[in-house]
Amino acid sequence: MSVASADAGVEIALKPREHWLVPPRQAWFAFGMAFLLMTFDYIDRQAVVAMFPALKAAWGLSDKQLGALISSVSIAVAVFSFPISLFADRWSRVKSIAVMAGFWSIATIACGFTRNYGQLLAARSMIGLGEAGYGSSGAALLTSIFPAARRATVLGGFLSAASVGSVLGVILGGVVTARWGWEAAFGVVGIPGLVLALMFLWVRDYRTVPLVDAGALRMGAAAVVRALVKPRSALAAYLGGALQLLPVSTLLAWLPSYFNRFYGLNVEQAGMKSAMVILLASIGIVVWGYVADRMAHANRRAKMLVPAACIVMTALLLSPAFGLVQPGAMQFAMILAGGFMMTAAAGSLPSVAIDVIHPGLRATAAAMVTVVQNLFGLAAGPFIAGALSDAFGLGTALALMPLFCLASAAVVIAGARAYPADLDRADAIPAKVVV
Protein backbone atom coordinates (compact mmCIF):
# COMPACT_ATOMS: atom_id res chain seq x y z
CA MET A 1 0.00 0.00 0.00
CA SER A 2 1.32 3.44 -0.88
CA VAL A 3 0.97 6.57 1.24
CA ALA A 4 1.70 9.96 -0.34
CA SER A 5 2.27 13.17 1.63
CA ALA A 6 0.97 16.52 0.43
CA ASP A 7 0.36 19.93 2.03
CA ALA A 8 1.36 18.72 5.53
CA GLY A 9 -1.16 15.96 5.17
CA VAL A 10 -1.49 12.30 4.43
CA GLU A 11 -3.36 10.92 1.44
CA ILE A 12 -4.36 7.32 1.95
CA ALA A 13 -4.47 4.92 -1.00
CA LEU A 14 -7.46 2.77 -1.88
CA LYS A 15 -6.97 0.04 0.74
CA PRO A 16 -5.53 1.65 3.92
CA ARG A 17 -5.95 -1.56 5.93
CA GLU A 18 -2.62 -1.38 7.86
CA HIS A 19 -1.90 2.36 7.97
CA TRP A 20 -1.36 4.30 11.23
CA LEU A 21 -2.66 7.84 10.76
CA VAL A 22 -0.67 9.12 13.77
CA PRO A 23 2.33 7.62 15.60
CA PRO A 24 1.29 4.56 17.65
CA ARG A 25 2.18 6.28 20.93
CA GLN A 26 -0.28 9.09 20.23
CA ALA A 27 -2.91 6.63 19.05
CA TRP A 28 -2.67 4.63 22.27
CA PHE A 29 -2.83 7.80 24.37
CA ALA A 30 -6.04 8.71 22.56
CA PHE A 31 -7.35 5.19 23.20
CA GLY A 32 -6.55 5.44 26.92
CA MET A 33 -8.30 8.78 27.32
CA ALA A 34 -11.31 7.64 25.30
CA PHE A 35 -11.48 4.44 27.37
CA LEU A 36 -11.46 6.38 30.65
CA LEU A 37 -14.17 8.75 29.47
CA MET A 38 -16.33 5.89 28.23
CA THR A 39 -15.85 4.22 31.62
CA PHE A 40 -17.17 7.25 33.47
CA ASP A 41 -19.89 7.67 30.85
CA TYR A 42 -21.29 4.32 31.95
CA ILE A 43 -20.51 4.78 35.63
CA ASP A 44 -22.74 7.85 35.51
CA ARG A 45 -25.34 6.03 33.43
CA GLN A 46 -25.52 2.75 35.38
CA ALA A 47 -24.90 3.73 39.01
CA VAL A 48 -28.63 4.35 39.39
CA VAL A 49 -29.50 0.65 38.97
CA ALA A 50 -27.84 -0.08 42.33
CA MET A 51 -30.06 2.63 43.83
CA PHE A 52 -33.30 1.02 42.59
CA PRO A 53 -34.21 -0.63 45.93
CA ALA A 54 -33.55 2.65 47.81
CA LEU A 55 -35.52 4.73 45.30
CA LYS A 56 -38.35 2.20 45.29
CA ALA A 57 -38.57 2.38 49.07
CA ALA A 58 -38.23 6.17 49.23
CA TRP A 59 -40.74 7.14 46.53
CA GLY A 60 -42.86 3.98 46.09
CA LEU A 61 -41.89 3.57 42.44
CA SER A 62 -43.02 0.76 40.14
CA ASP A 63 -40.55 -1.35 38.16
CA LYS A 64 -41.70 0.41 34.98
CA GLN A 65 -40.83 3.78 36.50
CA LEU A 66 -37.44 2.51 37.60
CA GLY A 67 -36.77 1.12 34.13
CA ALA A 68 -37.64 4.51 32.66
CA LEU A 69 -34.71 6.05 34.57
CA ILE A 70 -32.43 3.95 32.37
CA SER A 71 -34.50 4.30 29.20
CA SER A 72 -34.65 8.10 29.47
CA VAL A 73 -30.89 8.31 29.04
CA SER A 74 -30.91 6.05 26.00
CA ILE A 75 -33.82 7.89 24.39
CA ALA A 76 -32.00 11.21 24.74
CA VAL A 77 -28.87 9.62 23.26
CA ALA A 78 -30.91 8.30 20.33
CA VAL A 79 -32.64 11.63 19.65
CA PHE A 80 -29.54 13.84 19.78
CA SER A 81 -26.75 11.51 18.69
CA PHE A 82 -27.14 12.01 14.95
CA PRO A 83 -27.07 15.86 14.81
CA ILE A 84 -24.32 16.11 17.43
CA SER A 85 -22.18 13.50 15.68
CA LEU A 86 -22.68 15.13 12.28
CA PHE A 87 -21.55 18.41 13.85
CA ALA A 88 -18.50 16.67 15.36
CA ASP A 89 -17.66 15.13 11.97
CA ARG A 90 -17.61 18.62 10.43
CA TRP A 91 -15.97 20.47 13.41
CA SER A 92 -13.71 18.57 15.81
CA ARG A 93 -14.05 15.18 17.47
CA VAL A 94 -11.76 16.11 20.39
CA LYS A 95 -13.38 19.45 21.26
CA SER A 96 -16.88 18.00 20.89
CA ILE A 97 -16.03 15.13 23.25
CA ALA A 98 -14.62 17.49 25.88
CA VAL A 99 -17.79 19.61 25.84
CA MET A 100 -20.06 16.56 25.97
CA ALA A 101 -18.18 15.00 28.89
CA GLY A 102 -18.42 18.20 30.93
CA PHE A 103 -22.15 18.44 30.26
CA TRP A 104 -23.07 14.87 31.24
CA SER A 105 -20.90 15.07 34.38
CA ILE A 106 -22.70 18.21 35.56
CA ALA A 107 -26.06 16.56 34.83
CA THR A 108 -25.04 13.52 36.90
CA ILE A 109 -24.13 15.68 39.87
CA ALA A 110 -27.47 17.50 39.49
CA CYS A 111 -29.32 14.17 39.95
CA GLY A 112 -28.23 14.19 43.60
CA PHE A 113 -30.16 17.41 44.21
CA THR A 114 -33.51 16.21 42.83
CA ARG A 115 -36.42 15.89 45.23
CA ASN A 116 -39.00 13.86 43.30
CA TYR A 117 -39.26 11.32 40.51
CA GLY A 118 -40.05 13.86 37.79
CA GLN A 119 -36.97 15.93 38.57
CA LEU A 120 -34.74 12.85 38.62
CA LEU A 121 -36.17 11.63 35.29
CA ALA A 122 -35.48 15.04 33.71
CA ALA A 123 -31.93 15.14 35.09
CA ARG A 124 -31.29 11.63 33.78
CA SER A 125 -32.43 12.78 30.33
CA MET A 126 -29.84 15.56 30.47
CA ILE A 127 -27.16 12.93 31.08
CA GLY A 128 -28.29 11.32 27.83
CA LEU A 129 -28.09 14.66 26.02
CA GLY A 130 -24.48 15.05 27.11
CA GLU A 131 -23.57 11.49 26.19
CA ALA A 132 -25.39 11.60 22.84
CA GLY A 133 -22.43 12.05 20.52
CA TYR A 134 -19.61 10.71 22.66
CA GLY A 135 -19.60 7.05 21.68
CA SER A 136 -19.84 7.81 17.96
CA SER A 137 -17.24 10.60 18.04
CA GLY A 138 -14.86 8.47 20.07
CA ALA A 139 -15.34 5.54 17.70
CA ALA A 140 -14.71 7.77 14.68
CA LEU A 141 -11.53 9.15 16.25
CA LEU A 142 -10.10 5.74 17.12
CA THR A 143 -11.07 3.96 13.91
CA SER A 144 -9.41 6.75 11.93
CA ILE A 145 -6.07 6.88 13.75
CA PHE A 146 -5.64 3.10 14.15
CA PRO A 147 -5.12 0.74 11.17
CA ALA A 148 -8.37 -0.41 9.58
CA ALA A 149 -7.40 -4.07 10.01
CA ARG A 150 -7.56 -3.59 13.79
CA ARG A 151 -10.90 -1.81 13.95
CA ALA A 152 -13.02 -4.52 15.59
CA THR A 153 -10.34 -5.12 18.23
CA VAL A 154 -9.74 -1.44 18.98
CA LEU A 155 -13.43 -0.60 18.89
CA GLY A 156 -14.18 -3.64 21.04
CA GLY A 157 -11.60 -2.49 23.56
CA PHE A 158 -13.05 1.02 23.56
CA LEU A 159 -16.62 -0.21 23.96
CA SER A 160 -15.60 -2.68 26.66
CA ALA A 161 -15.20 0.40 28.83
CA ALA A 162 -19.01 0.53 28.84
CA SER A 163 -19.07 -2.78 30.72
CA VAL A 164 -16.20 -1.74 32.98
CA GLY A 165 -18.06 1.47 33.75
CA SER A 166 -21.25 -0.46 34.35
CA VAL A 167 -19.39 -2.71 36.82
CA LEU A 168 -17.89 0.21 38.68
CA GLY A 169 -21.15 2.14 38.54
CA VAL A 170 -23.09 -0.72 40.11
CA ILE A 171 -20.42 -1.22 42.78
CA LEU A 172 -19.98 2.46 43.60
CA GLY A 173 -23.70 3.13 43.46
CA GLY A 174 -24.38 0.25 45.85
CA VAL A 175 -21.55 1.01 48.29
CA VAL A 176 -22.16 4.77 48.50
CA THR A 177 -25.95 4.37 48.65
CA ALA A 178 -25.67 1.84 51.49
CA ARG A 179 -23.42 4.14 53.52
CA TRP A 180 -24.40 7.73 52.68
CA GLY A 181 -27.56 7.58 50.59
CA TRP A 182 -28.35 7.71 46.88
CA GLU A 183 -27.98 11.50 46.69
CA ALA A 184 -24.29 11.29 47.62
CA ALA A 185 -23.71 8.52 45.09
CA PHE A 186 -24.48 10.80 42.14
CA GLY A 187 -21.89 13.33 43.30
CA VAL A 188 -19.18 10.71 43.82
CA VAL A 189 -19.53 9.30 40.29
CA GLY A 190 -20.07 12.64 38.54
CA ILE A 191 -17.06 14.71 39.60
CA PRO A 192 -14.23 12.72 37.89
CA GLY A 193 -15.79 13.25 34.46
CA LEU A 194 -15.20 17.00 34.73
CA VAL A 195 -11.46 16.43 35.19
CA LEU A 196 -11.26 13.98 32.30
CA ALA A 197 -13.15 16.38 30.04
CA LEU A 198 -10.35 18.94 30.39
CA MET A 199 -7.61 16.33 29.99
CA PHE A 200 -9.15 15.06 26.76
CA LEU A 201 -8.17 18.31 25.02
CA TRP A 202 -4.60 16.95 24.92
CA VAL A 203 -5.66 14.21 22.49
CA ARG A 204 -4.60 14.76 18.88
CA ASP A 205 -7.51 14.99 16.43
CA TYR A 206 -7.52 14.30 12.70
CA ARG A 207 -8.54 17.04 10.30
CA THR A 208 -12.03 16.79 8.84
CA VAL A 209 -12.29 14.60 5.73
CA PRO A 210 -13.84 16.31 2.67
CA LEU A 211 -17.25 14.91 1.76
CA VAL A 212 -16.71 13.78 -1.82
CA ASP A 213 -17.98 10.62 -3.48
CA ALA A 214 -16.09 8.09 -5.59
CA GLY A 215 -16.21 10.53 -8.50
CA ALA A 216 -14.68 13.32 -6.36
CA LEU A 217 -17.99 15.23 -6.41
CA ARG A 218 -19.08 17.04 -3.25
CA MET A 219 -21.84 15.23 -1.39
CA GLY A 220 -25.08 16.98 -0.47
CA ALA A 221 -27.53 16.07 2.28
CA ALA A 222 -29.33 13.47 0.16
CA ALA A 223 -26.02 11.83 -0.79
CA VAL A 224 -25.01 11.69 2.87
CA VAL A 225 -28.24 9.92 3.76
CA ARG A 226 -27.80 7.47 0.90
CA ALA A 227 -24.24 6.76 2.00
CA LEU A 228 -25.46 5.87 5.49
CA VAL A 229 -28.32 3.56 4.48
CA LYS A 230 -27.28 2.04 1.15
CA PRO A 231 -24.82 -0.68 2.32
CA ARG A 232 -26.87 -3.73 3.33
CA SER A 233 -24.23 -4.86 5.80
CA ALA A 234 -24.46 -1.47 7.55
CA LEU A 235 -28.24 -1.80 7.83
CA ALA A 236 -27.77 -5.27 9.32
CA ALA A 237 -25.25 -3.86 11.79
CA TYR A 238 -27.70 -1.14 12.86
CA LEU A 239 -30.71 -3.41 13.34
CA GLY A 240 -28.93 -6.57 14.46
CA GLY A 241 -27.00 -4.65 17.09
CA ALA A 242 -30.19 -3.05 18.41
CA LEU A 243 -32.01 -6.38 18.76
CA GLN A 244 -29.01 -7.90 20.50
CA LEU A 245 -28.88 -5.02 22.99
CA LEU A 246 -32.43 -5.63 24.21
CA PRO A 247 -31.33 -8.50 26.52
CA VAL A 248 -27.98 -6.86 27.27
CA SER A 249 -29.56 -3.63 28.50
CA THR A 250 -32.14 -5.65 30.43
CA LEU A 251 -29.45 -7.50 32.37
CA LEU A 252 -27.45 -4.33 33.01
CA ALA A 253 -30.53 -2.67 34.48
CA TRP A 254 -32.23 -5.51 36.34
CA LEU A 255 -29.59 -7.94 37.61
CA PRO A 256 -29.04 -6.08 40.92
CA SER A 257 -32.79 -6.10 41.57
CA TYR A 258 -33.02 -9.79 40.60
CA PHE A 259 -30.29 -10.76 43.06
CA ASN A 260 -31.91 -8.56 45.71
CA ARG A 261 -35.32 -10.21 45.30
CA PHE A 262 -34.46 -13.83 44.43
CA TYR A 263 -31.19 -14.34 46.34
CA GLY A 264 -32.07 -12.17 49.33
CA LEU A 265 -28.95 -9.99 48.96
CA ASN A 266 -28.75 -6.41 50.18
CA VAL A 267 -28.05 -3.51 47.83
CA GLU A 268 -24.27 -3.71 48.17
CA GLN A 269 -24.09 -7.51 47.84
CA ALA A 270 -26.43 -7.54 44.84
CA GLY A 271 -24.28 -4.89 43.17
CA MET A 272 -21.12 -6.94 43.71
CA LYS A 273 -22.70 -10.11 42.29
CA SER A 274 -23.99 -8.22 39.26
CA ALA A 275 -20.57 -6.70 38.75
CA MET A 276 -19.09 -10.17 38.21
CA VAL A 277 -21.45 -10.75 35.28
CA ILE A 278 -20.81 -7.33 33.78
CA LEU A 279 -17.05 -7.76 34.14
CA LEU A 280 -17.20 -10.95 32.09
CA ALA A 281 -19.29 -9.07 29.53
CA SER A 282 -16.54 -6.44 29.22
CA ILE A 283 -13.93 -9.15 28.67
CA GLY A 284 -16.20 -10.76 26.07
CA ILE A 285 -16.30 -7.57 23.98
CA VAL A 286 -12.52 -7.56 23.59
CA VAL A 287 -12.11 -11.32 23.17
CA TRP A 288 -14.80 -11.76 20.54
CA GLY A 289 -13.80 -8.58 18.70
CA TYR A 290 -10.25 -9.95 18.46
CA VAL A 291 -11.52 -13.34 17.28
CA ALA A 292 -13.68 -11.66 14.63
CA ASP A 293 -10.73 -9.56 13.39
CA ARG A 294 -8.43 -12.58 13.22
CA MET A 295 -10.91 -14.81 11.43
CA ALA A 296 -11.76 -12.00 9.00
CA HIS A 297 -8.23 -12.23 7.56
CA ALA A 298 -9.21 -15.53 5.96
CA ASN A 299 -12.94 -14.86 5.50
CA ARG A 300 -14.18 -11.26 5.64
CA ARG A 301 -17.72 -12.41 6.46
CA ALA A 302 -16.39 -13.76 9.78
CA LYS A 303 -16.52 -10.22 11.14
CA MET A 304 -20.30 -10.65 11.24
CA LEU A 305 -20.61 -14.43 11.52
CA VAL A 306 -18.56 -14.68 14.74
CA PRO A 307 -20.82 -12.30 16.69
CA ALA A 308 -23.90 -13.97 15.17
CA ALA A 309 -22.84 -17.33 16.60
CA CYS A 310 -22.23 -15.78 20.02
CA ILE A 311 -25.62 -14.07 19.96
CA VAL A 312 -27.34 -17.44 19.41
CA MET A 313 -25.38 -18.93 22.34
CA THR A 314 -26.52 -16.01 24.52
CA ALA A 315 -30.17 -16.94 23.98
CA LEU A 316 -29.47 -20.63 24.61
CA LEU A 317 -27.81 -19.81 27.94
CA LEU A 318 -29.79 -16.94 29.43
CA SER A 319 -33.37 -17.83 28.56
CA PRO A 320 -33.23 -21.27 30.27
CA ALA A 321 -31.19 -19.84 33.14
CA PHE A 322 -33.98 -17.50 34.20
CA GLY A 323 -36.91 -19.58 32.95
CA LEU A 324 -36.04 -23.15 33.96
CA VAL A 325 -33.24 -23.15 36.55
CA GLN A 326 -33.79 -22.27 40.20
CA PRO A 327 -31.70 -19.51 41.82
CA GLY A 328 -28.38 -20.95 42.98
CA ALA A 329 -24.92 -21.93 41.81
CA MET A 330 -26.01 -23.55 38.54
CA GLN A 331 -28.14 -20.60 37.52
CA PHE A 332 -25.40 -18.12 38.37
CA ALA A 333 -22.87 -20.11 36.31
CA MET A 334 -25.21 -19.98 33.30
CA ILE A 335 -25.72 -16.23 33.79
CA LEU A 336 -21.94 -15.74 33.89
CA ALA A 337 -21.47 -17.73 30.68
CA GLY A 338 -24.28 -15.80 28.99
CA GLY A 339 -22.72 -12.53 30.12
CA PHE A 340 -19.44 -13.47 28.45
CA MET A 341 -21.21 -14.21 25.15
CA MET A 342 -23.83 -11.46 25.06
CA THR A 343 -21.49 -8.56 24.21
CA ALA A 344 -19.71 -10.28 21.28
CA ALA A 345 -21.37 -7.97 18.74
CA ALA A 346 -20.67 -4.74 20.64
CA GLY A 347 -17.34 -4.07 18.93
CA SER A 348 -17.69 -6.00 15.68
CA LEU A 349 -21.00 -4.64 14.39
CA PRO A 350 -20.22 -0.92 14.84
CA SER A 351 -16.86 -1.53 13.14
CA VAL A 352 -18.70 -3.14 10.21
CA ALA A 353 -20.82 -0.02 9.78
CA ILE A 354 -17.75 2.21 9.95
CA ASP A 355 -15.90 -0.04 7.47
CA VAL A 356 -18.51 0.32 4.73
CA ILE A 357 -19.42 4.02 5.16
CA HIS A 358 -17.67 7.03 3.59
CA PRO A 359 -14.52 7.89 5.65
CA GLY A 360 -15.74 11.49 6.06
CA LEU A 361 -18.85 10.20 7.83
CA ARG A 362 -17.34 7.89 10.42
CA ALA A 363 -18.73 9.68 13.47
CA THR A 364 -22.06 10.00 11.67
CA ALA A 365 -22.05 6.29 10.79
CA ALA A 366 -21.27 5.45 14.40
CA ALA A 367 -24.11 7.80 15.36
CA MET A 368 -26.50 5.82 13.17
CA VAL A 369 -25.46 2.73 15.12
CA THR A 370 -25.95 4.68 18.35
CA VAL A 371 -29.38 6.04 17.37
CA VAL A 372 -30.82 2.67 16.35
CA GLN A 373 -29.18 0.73 19.17
CA ASN A 374 -30.15 3.22 21.88
CA LEU A 375 -33.71 3.75 20.69
CA PHE A 376 -34.57 0.13 19.92
CA GLY A 377 -32.10 -1.61 22.22
CA LEU A 378 -30.76 0.23 25.26
CA ALA A 379 -33.87 2.36 25.78
CA ALA A 380 -36.45 -0.31 25.04
CA GLY A 381 -34.87 -3.20 26.96
CA PRO A 382 -35.14 -1.93 30.58
CA PHE A 383 -38.61 -0.46 29.95
CA ILE A 384 -40.03 -3.58 28.28
CA ALA A 385 -38.51 -5.77 30.98
CA GLY A 386 -39.96 -3.51 33.67
CA ALA A 387 -43.44 -3.72 32.13
CA LEU A 388 -43.14 -7.53 31.82
CA SER A 389 -41.96 -7.68 35.42
CA ASP A 390 -44.97 -5.71 36.66
CA ALA A 391 -47.26 -8.11 34.75
CA PHE A 392 -45.56 -11.52 35.14
CA GLY A 393 -42.66 -11.14 37.56
CA LEU A 394 -39.02 -10.24 37.11
CA GLY A 395 -37.85 -13.83 36.56
CA THR A 396 -40.22 -14.31 33.62
CA ALA A 397 -39.20 -10.97 32.12
CA LEU A 398 -35.52 -11.92 32.23
CA ALA A 399 -36.29 -15.30 30.64
CA LEU A 400 -38.19 -13.76 27.72
CA MET A 401 -35.85 -10.91 26.76
CA PRO A 402 -32.93 -13.12 25.50
CA LEU A 403 -35.20 -14.51 22.77
CA PHE A 404 -34.61 -11.28 20.84
CA CYS A 405 -31.07 -12.62 20.25
CA LEU A 406 -32.41 -15.13 17.74
CA ALA A 407 -33.88 -12.37 15.58
CA SER A 408 -30.64 -10.41 15.91
CA ALA A 409 -28.56 -13.35 14.69
CA ALA A 410 -30.79 -13.85 11.65
CA VAL A 411 -30.36 -10.18 10.62
CA VAL A 412 -26.58 -10.24 11.11
CA ILE A 413 -26.16 -13.46 9.10
CA ALA A 414 -28.15 -11.95 6.24
CA GLY A 415 -25.96 -8.83 6.31
CA ALA A 416 -22.76 -10.90 6.23
CA ARG A 417 -23.49 -11.92 2.65
CA ALA A 418 -23.21 -8.30 1.46
CA TYR A 419 -20.27 -7.26 3.64
CA PRO A 420 -17.34 -8.04 1.26
CA ALA A 421 -18.89 -6.16 -1.66
CA ASP A 422 -19.87 -3.21 0.57
CA LEU A 423 -16.32 -3.09 1.92
CA ASP A 424 -14.80 -3.01 -1.56
CA ARG A 425 -17.03 -0.09 -2.55
CA ALA A 426 -16.03 1.88 0.57
CA ASP A 427 -12.32 1.25 0.00
CA ALA A 428 -12.65 2.65 -3.52
CA ILE A 429 -13.63 6.11 -2.21
CA PRO A 430 -10.73 8.61 -2.22
CA ALA A 431 -10.01 9.56 1.39
CA LYS A 432 -7.72 12.48 2.06
CA VAL A 433 -7.14 12.77 5.80
CA VAL A 434 -4.94 15.63 7.01
CA VAL A 435 -3.27 15.47 10.43
Side-chain angles (χ1 to χ4, degrees):
M1 182 198 74
S2 64
V3 179
S5 297
D7 301 326
V10 179
E11 186 167 357
I12 303 171
L14 294 185
K15 289 188 177 291
R17 313 309 296 170
E18 300 291 343
H19 176 66
W20 291 83
L21 191 61
V22 300
R25 187 174 180 179
Q26 294 181 13
W28 285 112
F29 173 72
F31 176 86
M33 289 301 303
F35 185 93
L36 285 174
L37 261 186
M38 177 66 87
T39 299
F40 277 93
D41 177 340
Y42 273 79
I43 287 176
D44 294 355
R45 184 185 291 209
Q46 292 297 129
V48 72
V49 305
M51 308 173 199
F52 277 2
L55 291 169
K56 191 178 184 72
W59 291 340
L61 304 179
S62 68
D63 285 351
K64 186 164 64 174
Q65 288 176 305
L66 292 172
L69 292 175
I70 299 294
S71 299
S72 62
V73 176
S74 298
I75 290 171
V77 169
V79 170
F80 295 104
S81 183
F82 191 85
I84 291 175
S85 298
L86 186 58
F87 176 77
D89 252 336
R90 299 295 91 209
W91 180 47
S92 165
R93 277 61 51 189
V94 168
K95 293 176 183 177
S96 298
I97 288 170
V99 171
M100 288 183 276
F103 189 93
W104 89 58
S105 298
I106 292 172
T108 300
I109 296 169
C111 289
F113 295 92
T114 58
R115 291 296 174 263
N116 57 56
Y117 176 74
Q119 291 176 0
L120 180 57
L121 187 65
R124 291 282 297 171
S125 298
M126 291 299 99
I127 294 176
L129 174 59
E131 294 174 350
Y134 171 64
S136 52
S137 298
L141 180 66
L142 295 178
T143 55
S144 294
I145 63 178
F146 279 89
R150 305 189 186 194
R151 277 181 186 156
T153 305
V154 170
L155 200 53
F158 169 56
L159 296 175
S160 72
S163 295
V164 174
S166 296
V167 170
L168 295 175
V170 170
I171 292 174
L172 287 172
V175 170
V176 178
T177 297
R179 285 164 171 72
W180 298 291
W182 61 267
E183 296 93 340
F186 282 117
V188 169
V189 302
I191 292 173
L194 294 175
V195 178
L196 289 173
L198 294 175
M199 293 178 62
F200 201 85
L201 292 172
W202 294 343
V203 172
R204 187 176 178 183
D205 203 353
Y206 64 87
R207 195 170 297 175
T208 299
V209 180
L211 280 181
V212 295
D213 59 21
L217 298 175
R218 187 161 186 84
M219 297 170 64
V224 168
V225 173
R226 284 195 300 271
L228 293 171
V229 301
K230 183 178 180 180
R232 287 185 293 166
S233 55
L235 292 175
Y238 304 151
L239 180 57
L243 290 169
Q244 179 259 344
L245 282 177
L246 283 167
V248 173
S249 61
T250 294
L251 257 65
L252 292 178
W254 288 109
L255 266 184
S257 294
Y258 182 82
F259 291 136
N260 173 258
R261 299 178 196 181
F262 288 81
Y263 284 68
L265 304 179
N266 63 32
V267 171
E268 184 175 346
Q269 293 170 328
M272 292 291 185
K273 201 172 186 73
S274 301
M276 295 173 64
V277 179
I278 302 170
L279 181 60
L280 270 179
S282 68
I283 296 171
I285 297 177
V286 180
V287 169
W288 295 116
Y290 176 78
V291 171
D293 263 345
R294 293 292 296 176
M295 293 187 68
H297 287 306
N299 179 2
R300 290 189 289 183
R301 290 185 176 90
K303 202 164 186 179
M304 301 186 78
L305 296 178
V306 168
C310 293
I311 291 169
V312 172
M313 286 301 301
T314 300
L316 296 179
L317 286 165
L318 292 180
S319 202
F322 291 108
L324 301 176
V325 181
Q326 293 298 313
M330 177 61 74
Q331 184 197 55
F332 187 57
M334 293 177 69
I335 295 172
L336 286 172
F340 179 64
M341 305 295 292
M342 71 180 183
T343 53
S348 298
L349 293 187
S351 74
V352 165
I354 290 171
D355 281 345
V356 300
I357 297 298
H358 190 290
L361 293 170
R362 283 177 181 152
T364 311
M368 280 292 291
V369 175
T370 301
V371 168
V372 178
Q373 292 188 354
N374 274 270
L375 192 59
F376 299 107
L378 293 176
F383 185 79
I384 292 172
L388 289 172
S389 177
D390 285 338
F392 307 108
L394 185 56
T396 301
L398 294 181
L400 292 174
M401 294 302 291
L403 297 178
F404 283 104
C405 288
L406 301 178
S408 172
V411 171
V412 173
I413 291 170
R417 298 172 184 166
Y419 177 60
D422 289 341
L423 187 60
D424 288 339
R425 279 191 291 270
D427 281 345
I429 297 172
K432 187 175 181 181
V433 185
V434 184
V435 294

